[in-house]
């Protein structure tokens, strides 16, 4: 096989790693009280028992390619509360999620009055400068259409449970600029980005959708995907539209502190053309593969914990050969920890592609031995009524 000369595969059957981790487990426990087990994003707001009174402060907590989401907040910020779980895709009523997310054109911070199950009748098109904040409440968007971030920018999606999303036929729907538009057929993804930028997806629980959980497509860039829990899914995360869409070569995505599994099959993520910094994530098994790509993708896999499935494929990576792009395939592993015999096929030689984060984006990647602790509260958080999350 031609690919073998370009790559080196590292397989790890070192059970000593697991034993050492067990020895230090009590030490990790004590880190929790000193706050060391909270990752940098969470530490920025979860330490504050008054976070409910300062919700927009969350916007200052993001890291990675989304940068700080400070364009989402300011004096003119509209505070909007969802009081009505119903949905009208063309004529949304005030009080519904669609009214707040598609109609309101200024900076808006959306919260929810109470626990809610929202069944969307068409994809929800989120306007620029919108934050959807489900903290402290149990919000499900499920069992039909789900979220679409289409040609918009500066979006925060936090603390929502999105699942059982289904394919939708083409149809008319309130667009992100407050005007009804025609939207083509969609496949049934939990969150789909189309030509979107500066998007932060944090602490959501995503599972059991008809197509995928999170797609970043058609020139979308400057995206941070953090603290989410992805489970029970065949195709988890797609970065890059298709093999013919080379505008995605400018795509930059940070994937950090997420928990993948159990019962995820593939694409955690699958990368085309662009660059992904995948750091400090927990991989609780996979079936086909964990991270894969085609069309000259670039990956820095850094300090993740890859726990291979007990039986089946131990190989983390998957690579699709594509004409002319074989040599440009850059998959690098730095400081990753492999358990249960997990293997990583890295590009041999070459320079590890660094993220080149600016001061708004940069964060310190933790040692992989802390990944279990740093991802322990991934997904939508359960917050106590009176104090901390
Ligand atoms: C992405 O972020 C960088 C750095 O902040 C910025 O220079 C660039 O214009 C952004 N790209 C888009 C499409 O927003």
């Amino acid at each position: 096989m031609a690919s073998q000369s370009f790559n080196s595969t590292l397989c790890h059957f070192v059970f000593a790693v697991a034993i050492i981790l067990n020895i230090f487990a009590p030490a990790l426990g004590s880190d929790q009280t000193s706050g060391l087990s909270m990752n940098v994003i969470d530490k920025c707001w979860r330490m504050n028992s008054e976070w409910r009174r300062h919700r927009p402060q969350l916007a200052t907590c993001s890291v990675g390619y989304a940068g700080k989401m400070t364009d989402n907040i300011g004096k003119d910020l509209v505070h909007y509360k969802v009081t009505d779980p119903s949905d009208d895709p063309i004529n949304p009523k005030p009080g519904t999620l669609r009214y707040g997310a598609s109609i309101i054109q200024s900076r808006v911070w959306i919260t929810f009055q109470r626990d809610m199950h929202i069944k969307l009748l068409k994809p929800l098109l989120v306007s620029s400068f919108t934050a959807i904040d489900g903290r402290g409440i149990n919000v499900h968007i499920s069992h039909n259409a789900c979220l679409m971030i289409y040609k918009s920018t500066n979006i925060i999606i936090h603390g929502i449970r999105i699942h059982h999303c289904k394919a939708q036929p083409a149809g008319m729907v309130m667009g992100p600029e407050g005007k009804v538009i025609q939207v083509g057929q969609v496949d049934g993804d939990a969150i789909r980005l189309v030509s979107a930028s500066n998007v932060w997806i944090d602490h959501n629980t995503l599972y059991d959708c008809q197509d995928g959980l999170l797609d970043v497509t058609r020139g979308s860039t400057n995206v941070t995907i953090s603290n989410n829990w992805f489970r029970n899914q065949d195709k988890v995360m797609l970065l890059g539209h298709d093999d013919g869409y080379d505008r995605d070569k400018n795509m930059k995505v940070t994937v950090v502190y997420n928990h993948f599994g159990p019962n995820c099959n593939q694409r955690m993520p699958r990368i085309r053309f662009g660059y992904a910094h995948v750091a400090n994530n927990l991989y609780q098994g996979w079936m086909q593969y964990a991270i894969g790509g085609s069309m000259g993708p670039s990956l820095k896999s850094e300090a993740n914990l890859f726990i291979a499935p007990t039986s089946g494929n131990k190989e983390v990576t998957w690579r699709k050969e594509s004409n002319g792009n074989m040599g440009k395939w850059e998959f690098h592993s730095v400081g990753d920890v492999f358990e249960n015999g997990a293997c990583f096929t890295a590009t041999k030689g070459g320079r590890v592609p660094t993220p080149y984060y600016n001061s708004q984006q940069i964060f310190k990647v933790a040692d992989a031995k802390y990944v279990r602790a740093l991802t322990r509260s991934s997904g939508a958080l359960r917050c106590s009524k009176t104090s901390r999350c």
Side-chain angles (χ1 to χ4, degrees):
M1 261 169 64
S3 66
Q4 276 171 352
S5 59
F6 286 89
N7 306 304
S8 59
T9 304
L10 281 168
C11 289
H12 302 256
F13 295 96
V14 187
F15 293 101
V17 173
I19 294 160
I20 290 164
L21 278 174
N22 280 340
I23 291 168
F24 286 103
L28 275 181
S30 60
D31 280 350
Q32 227 166 353
T33 45
S34 64
L36 270 177
S37 74
M38 238 189 230
N39 64 59
V40 287
I41 297 172
D42 286 357
K43 216 183 281 181
C44 170
W45 68 272
R46 287 177 65 194
M47 307 292 280
N48 180 1
S49 58
E50 298 288 295
W51 62 269
R52 276 187 174 76
R53 298 209 286 144
H54 308 279
R55 283 180 179 267
Q57 188 254 335
L58 180 69
T60 65
C61 298
S62 45
V63 297
Y65 282 115
K68 301 293 175 212
M69 303 298 288
T70 45
D71 284 344
N72 282 71
I73 56 179
K75 273 208 168 68
D76 60 347
L77 179 65
V78 172
H79 293 265
Y80 178 89
K81 192 167 276 190
V82 179
T83 55
D84 178 350
S86 77
D87 185 37
D88 181 337
I90 302 207
N91 232 329
K93 276 191 281 181
T96 61
L97 175 59
R98 195 181 297 274
Y99 187 94
S102 307
I103 300 263
I104 297 180
Q105 295 299 302
S106 54
R107 294 184 170 93
V108 59
W109 200 275
I110 301 177
T111 55
F112 299 82
Q113 186 187 42
R114 55 189 160 84
D115 292 355
M116 257 177 222
H117 286 256
I118 297 175
K119 184 176 171 185
L120 296 169
L121 301 180
K122 284 277 171 201
L124 178 73
L125 298 175
V126 185
S127 302
S128 294
F129 305 102
T130 296
I132 301 180
D133 176 0
R135 284 177 293 172
I137 232 84
N138 205 336
V139 180
H140 294 256
I141 295 175
S142 64
H143 294 97
N144 201 47
C146 289
L147 302 192
M148 185 150 156
I149 303 179
Y150 173 67
K151 291 188 179 166
S152 53
T153 179
N154 293 279
I155 313 278
I156 302 173
I157 311 288
H158 187 110
I160 312 289
R161 295 165 168 87
I162 309 177
H163 52 98
H164 297 93
C165 302
K166 295 188 187 137
Q168 302 295 319
M172 304 305 282
V173 57
M174 182 53 68
E177 287 169 350
K179 294 186 196 83
V180 173
I181 59 169
Q182 166 82 21
V183 168
Q185 177 262 335
V186 298
D187 296 337
D189 299 307
I191 305 177
R192 173 149 199 220
L193 275 60
V194 182
S195 310
S197 62
N198 290 78
V199 178
W200 183 30
I201 314 276
D202 189 49
H203 272 297
N204 302 284
T205 302
L206 310 176
Y207 56 97
D208 273 325
C209 287
Q210 192 173 336
D211 187 44
L213 295 180
L214 185 43
D215 280 10
V216 176
T217 68
R218 289 199 168 266
S220 296
T221 189
N222 292 352
V223 176
T224 297
I225 299 162
S226 54
N227 287 314
N228 302 286
W229 184 15
F230 300 93
R231 61 182 162 85
N232 297 72
Q233 188 68 30
D234 173 10
K235 302 168 185 171
V236 177
M237 189 191 302
L238 182 69
L239 309 180
H241 185 66
D242 65 27
D243 283 356
Y245 200 83
D246 72 350
R247 267 177 57 202
D248 280 329
K249 66 182 186 297
N250 299 318
M251 174 181 64
K252 291 185 162 70
V253 182
T254 305
V255 179
V256 64
Y257 312 132
N258 300 284
H259 178 175
F260 296 99
N263 305 317
C264 289
N265 181 32
Q266 58 171 321
R267 304 190 177 180
M268 296 171 255
R270 183 206 196 288
I271 313 158
R272 289 186 175 104
F273 294 107
Y275 175 71
H277 182 213
V278 176
N280 284 163
N281 299 283
L282 172 64
Y283 288 83
Q284 194 184 347
W286 52 85
M287 284 167 257
Q288 278 174 267
Y289 65 88
I291 303 180
S294 61
M295 303 309 289
S298 222
L299 164 78
K300 183 179 186 186
S301 172
E302 184 172 13
N304 298 288
L305 172 54
F306 293 102
I307 308 170
T310 308
S311 61
N313 181 24
K314 305 278 184 188
E315 170 64 50
V316 169
T317 64
W318 169 82
R319 164 189 188 176
K320 186 178 159 218
E321 305 285 336
S322 35
N323 287 345
N325 273 297
M326 202 162 67
K328 282 195 255 165
W329 191 79
E330 295 282 349
F331 268 26
H332 296 268
S333 167
V334 179
D336 289 324
V337 167
F338 301 94
E339 290 186 7
N340 254 358
C343 311
F344 190 110
T345 303
T347 309
K348 215 162 147 187
R351 224 186 304 144
V352 178
T354 58
Y356 295 109
Y357 288 133
N358 65 29
S359 59
Q360 303 278 295
Q361 301 167 329
I362 200 160
F363 62 99
K364 193 169 185 292
V365 175
D367 191 302
K369 70 179 180 238
Y370 297 114
V371 164
R372 274 194 180 83
L374 295 176
T375 60
R376 192 163 285 144
S377 56
S378 61
L381 294 160
R382 288 175 194 284
C383 310
S384 101
K385 275 271 180 285
T386 49
S387 68
R388 286 188 190 172
C389 265

